[in-house]
């Protein structure tokens, strides 16, 4: 799990840690997991951006698109996007 998500892990009551610990989510490209959290949000949508060797702008654009489509299917009316700094890399 990316270290830069530590504050979000705490705010989610550990929901993100549980998703990663279950090995149901590894961050592969287009992989999606929904985590139900305690805290200021009801659920978290985790979207894999793929390999760190992928061009960051392309990977993040695709991950944001996957997140938006899944949020729409789930009926999410309002969402925020958080990107792990480890996913940004450099081009």
């Amino acid at each position: 799990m990316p270290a830069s998500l530590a504050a979000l892990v705490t705010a989610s009551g550990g929901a993100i840690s549980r998703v990663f610990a279950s090995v149901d989510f590894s961050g592969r490209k287009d992989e999606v997991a929904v985590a139900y959290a305690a805290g200021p949000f009801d659920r978290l949508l985790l979207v894999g951006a793929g390999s760190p060797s992928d061009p960051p702008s392309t990977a993040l654009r695709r991950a944001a698109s996957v997140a938006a489509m899944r949020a729409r299917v789930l009926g999410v009316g309002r969402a925020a996007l958080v990107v792990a700094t480890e996913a940004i890399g450099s081009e």
Side-chain angles (χ1 to χ4, degrees):
M1 175 174 42
S4 65
L5 296 180
L8 192 57
V9 168
T10 301
S12 73
I16 296 171
S17 294
R18 290 189 294 278
V19 170
F20 276 94
S22 73
V23 298
D24 289 338
F25 182 81
S26 65
R28 287 186 318 268
K29 181 174 150 185
D30 300 342
E31 183 179 20
V32 177
V34 177
Y36 294 88
F41 26 75
D42 296 327
R43 55 192 164 178
L44 298 163
L45 185 64
L46 305 175
V47 179
S51 169
S53 64
D54 294 341
S57 60
T58 302
L60 294 177
R61 192 169 34 252
R62 182 173 179 91
S65 176
V66 169
M69 288 187 288
R70 183 56 64 95
R72 182 176 177 204
V73 168
L74 292 171
V76 173
R78 193 174 81 177
L81 179 65
V82 175
V83 177
T85 57
E86 293 85 351
I88 296 170
S90 62
E91 285 190 50

